[in-house]
Amino acid sequence: MKLIVFDVDGTLVDSQHLIVAAQGMAFAEHGIPAPERAEALSVVGLSLPQAFRRLVGEDGPVQSLSESYKRAFQTLRLDPTYEEPLFPGMGELVARLHARDDVLLGIATGKSRRGVNHLIEVQGWEGWFSTTQSADDAPSKPDPAMLLQAMAETGLGPGATVMVGDTSYDMAMAVAAGAAPVGVGWGYHVPGALYAAGAVTVVDNAAALGALFGREADPACTG
């Protein structure tokens, strides 16, 4: 039995336009110039206070920006212009893994619990994930708490756990928890940063990711 834990933004879901727009609205509300797109996306994966702390510093209006961002995100989510599609092939891959009897699925994300529940409802994934960890449940990545809690909830140890993510925060979290870090190359951090943070491999598409999880393949041994 293997536990495969997925990050959300940048791994399962292409939410970059919504994230950048919500950040822009939050900064505008405070009269602060918004960060460039690359900088805005560089903090995806962190919980909101940690993300804004990186963007404006310890002395900036971190909490207020976080609250503004939440409001903006919820408003923009109702606008079809800011659709959050799954990355190509990821919906099918999750479905195939869910159907297997030797795999448990999990989520570990900087999203709120509300955001996780919304994703699961929209995608029809109710009951598919044995464990879901959000920014409301544990310290921000790269702290290993989310993965440690996921392993405790499923009864599977680090040797049977794989973390799939698109940022160095995901990879560092997996390393700290003793799990296998598998990077995806279509998200918000470049492959070099993922390898530097400990990724054992970085895949280019959902088919390549699925190939890692063949019953005879062990991602921890892939490099």
Side-chain angles (χ1 to χ4, degrees), residues 76-159:
L76 292 174
R77 177 176 276 163
L78 302 176
D79 184 342
T81 305
Y82 296 101
E83 182 185 4
E84 295 180 279
L86 295 178
F87 284 101
M90 291 306 289
E92 294 83 355
L93 176 57
V94 170
R96 289 198 303 272
L97 292 172
H98 166 63
R100 285 173 50 170
D101 59 6
D102 63 334
V103 167
L104 297 180
L105 296 179
I107 283 175
T109 176
K111 279 185 175 297
S112 66
R113 170 61 53 186
R114 178 179 180 180
V116 173
N117 291 342
H118 175 79
L119 171 68
I120 289 173
E121 179 182 358
V122 167
Q123 298 300 330
W125 288 345
E126 290 89 347
W128 287 27
F129 294 90
S130 299
T131 177
T132 57
Q133 306 297 322
S134 73
D136 297 327
D137 306 311
S140 176
K141 302 172 185 178
D143 189 290
M146 287 190 193
L147 277 184
L148 295 176
Q149 290 176 183
M151 290 186 283
E153 288 181 7
T154 58
L156 293 176

Side-chain angles (χ1 to χ4, degrees), residues 19 23 27 35 39-57 62 65-66 69 110 140-141 169:
I19 290 170
Q23 279 192 25
F27 276 92
E39 186 180 9
L41 293 175
S42 73
V43 298
V44 174
L46 299 174
S47 59
L48 288 180
Q50 284 75 14
F52 282 111
R53 194 168 288 116
R54 292 202 178 201
L55 294 175
V56 300
V62 171
L65 278 168
S66 299
Y69 176 88
S140 176
K141 302 172 185 178
Y169 315 126

Side-chain angles (χ1 to χ4, degrees), residues 4 15 28 35 152 196 215:
I4 302 173
S15 50
R215 292 176 186 266

Side-chain angles (χ1 to χ4, degrees), residues 162-166 171 174 180-184 199-203 209 212-213 219:
V162 181
M163 177 65 209
V164 181
D166 70 300
M171 303 299 98
V182 171
V184 300
V200 294
T201 191
V202 178
V203 298
L209 181 59
L212 290 180
F213 300 134

